[in-house]
Amino acid sequence: MSTYIIADLHLSEDEPAITAGFINFIHQQAIHADSLYILGDFFNYWIGDDDQTELHQQVADSLKMLSERGIPCYFIHGNRDFLLGQRYAKQCGMTILPQETLLELYGKRILILHGDTLCIDDQAYQDYRKKVHTPWIQRIFLMLPLFIRRRIAEKMRKNSQYASSMKAESIMDVNPQAVINALNHHQADWMIHGHTHRPAIHEVTVGDKQCFRGVLGAWHHEGSAFVIDKQGIDLIFFPFQPE
Ligand code: LP5
Ligand code: MN
């Protein structure tokens, strides 16, 4: 038995192959798991739980099937789907966890998070993040008609792509001291996050302790997950369509 962790699928109507890859992943891998954790940017953007689309229904149905089979599913918000709320979580049968959550799995202390909060060198992003996490700004946004919210989200995605293309790669990676601080704060052995789309396992020295930082891959052309069992922690990649 094992625990699966995924992030950065960026599900959208425009990328049906990724959705199909996710549905396959649920039926072929997650179905044999102990539990599933989704660490944000599950959707390309989320503009409110009242945005009931066929895609959202299909995704909710497949996650609900897992939880009904006794495989609990957990979600941590990303920077693109931080507005995903209790209503949709309930539809999926999943539990929303705090942005930094410590898991104790098979004798290891594993800190899970989306990863954007570690990118503290990206000051423009951190300033922007503070604004969009302001409750009254979110309330006003959620009061707008859906078609306007969608237009704003698409504009924000375009701006973000442009802004990211102008930033140095190093600025968009995690800050090493922020990683150490988080591991230390939670007295964790491992940290697993997504967001940077730079899949790897890094060694991190915290005081006199050897820790690890696992980074998930984004689901562009293949799936990516961390699989944790009593044997250890593995980063895996798999095709959207089984061979
Ligand atoms: O997502 P990704 O990986 O491309 O880039 C991120 C950062 N970008 C973002 C923006 C999201 O992609 C947009 C998602 C749309 C959400 C839709 C609904 C939300 C509406 C909420 C309204 C309450 O997160 C990017 C980082 C990159 O990661 C790497 O870490 O660099 O950051 C940016 O691009 C931000 C720019 O640098 C700064 C933008 C300034 C805009 C100021 C306007 C703020 C006004 C907000 C008030 C509504
Ligand atoms: Mn992200």
Side-chain angles (χ1 to χ4, degrees), residues 158-196:
K158 282 212 181 83
N159 287 348
S160 175
Q161 274 157 343
Y162 176 71
S164 301
S165 74
M166 301 304 283
K167 290 177 193 173
E169 286 289 310
S170 58
I171 279 185
M172 291 187 289
D173 205 351
V174 299
N175 173 285
Q177 192 57 47
V179 170
I180 293 171
N181 294 349
L183 282 163
N184 196 32
H185 177 75
H186 294 273
Q187 289 293 296
D189 308 303
W190 266 81
M191 159 189 291
I192 294 179
H193 68 82
H195 183 67
T196 60

Side-chain angles (χ1 to χ4, degrees), residues 132-147:
V132 294
H133 279 264
T134 306
W136 70 264
I137 295 180
Q138 293 188 357
R139 272 200 301 277
I140 290 176
F141 179 80
L142 291 170
M143 279 159 55
L144 298 170
L146 267 173
F147 79 96

Side-chain angles (χ1 to χ4, degrees), residues 8 10 39-41 78-80 114-116 125 194-197:
D8 300 305
H10 309 131
L39 307 188
D41 288 2
N79 58 294
R80 300 191 196 181
H114 177 60
D116 58 322
Y125 170 67
H195 183 67
T196 60
H197 310 169

Side-chain angles (χ1 to χ4, degrees), residues 10-241:
H10 309 131
L11 295 174
S12 85
E13 268 93 8
D14 301 336
E15 300 276 3
I18 304 179
T19 307
F22 171 68
I23 304 286
N24 284 334
F25 164 78
I26 292 292
H27 286 98
Q28 280 156 26
Q29 303 188 68
I31 198 128
H32 305 297
D34 277 330
S35 52
L36 172 67
Y37 290 85
I38 303 170
L39 307 188
D41 288 2
F42 186 31
F43 291 99
N44 197 35
Y45 58 73
W46 193 264
I47 54 173
D49 291 4
D50 54 336
D51 184 27
Q52 294 282 333
T53 66
E54 212 173 292
L55 169 73
H56 298 163
Q57 192 57 52
Q58 190 189 7
V59 169
D61 289 346
S62 56
L63 287 173
K64 186 85 181 178
M65 181 277 292
L66 275 192
S67 59
E68 282 174 354
R69 286 178 174 235
I71 301 154
C73 182
Y74 303 96
F75 179 78
I76 290 182
H77 290 120
N79 58 294
R80 300 191 196 181
D81 50 15
F82 56 86
L83 287 178
L84 195 151
Q86 291 302 337
R87 172 174 159 192
Y88 187 67
K90 197 163 171 227
Q91 234 173 296
C92 299
M94 67 185 183
T95 306
I96 299 180
L97 298 174
Q99 69 178 37
E100 283 190 8
T101 296
L102 185 76
L103 306 180
E104 297 199 35
L105 284 176
Y106 315 101
K108 285 196 185 76
R109 290 169 67 83
I110 305 167
L111 177 64
I112 54 171
L113 67 171
H114 177 60
D116 58 322
T117 50
L118 299 168
C119 301
I120 56 172
D121 297 327
D122 191 345
Q123 194 57 51
Y125 170 67
Q126 294 300 337
D127 292 345
Y128 154 84
R129 187 180 192 278
K130 214 171 275 162
K131 290 194 186 88
V132 294
H133 279 264
T134 306
W136 70 264
I137 295 180
Q138 293 188 357
R139 272 200 301 277
I140 290 176
F141 179 80
L142 291 170
M143 279 159 55
L144 298 170
L146 267 173
F147 79 96
I148 296 188
R149 276 181 267 164
R150 190 165 297 119
R151 224 181 270 165
I152 293 173
E154 267 157 25
K155 183 100 182 39
M156 286 167 77
R157 285 292 310 125
K158 282 212 181 83
N159 287 348
S160 175
Q161 274 157 343
Y162 176 71
S164 301
S165 74
M166 301 304 283
K167 290 177 193 173
E169 286 289 310
S170 58
I171 279 185
M172 291 187 289
D173 205 351
V174 299
N175 173 285
Q177 192 57 47
V179 170
I180 293 171
N181 294 349
L183 282 163
N184 196 32
H185 177 75
H186 294 273
Q187 289 293 296
D189 308 303
W190 266 81
M191 159 189 291
I192 294 179
H193 68 82
H195 183 67
T196 60
H197 310 169
R198 302 176 200 204
I201 297 177
H202 302 274
E203 288 191 25
V204 186
T205 309
V206 181
D208 50 12
K209 191 168 151 192
Q210 203 55 37
C211 299
F212 295 91
R213 176 170 72 93
V215 190
L216 285 151
W219 290 39
H220 294 308
H221 305 291
E222 60 181 358
S224 169
F226 270 93
V227 186
I228 308 172
D229 59 22
K230 58 179 187 310
Q231 255 70 265
I233 302 183
D234 273 334
L235 173 60
I236 62 162
F237 302 92
F238 43 89
F240 289 148
Q241 295 298 335

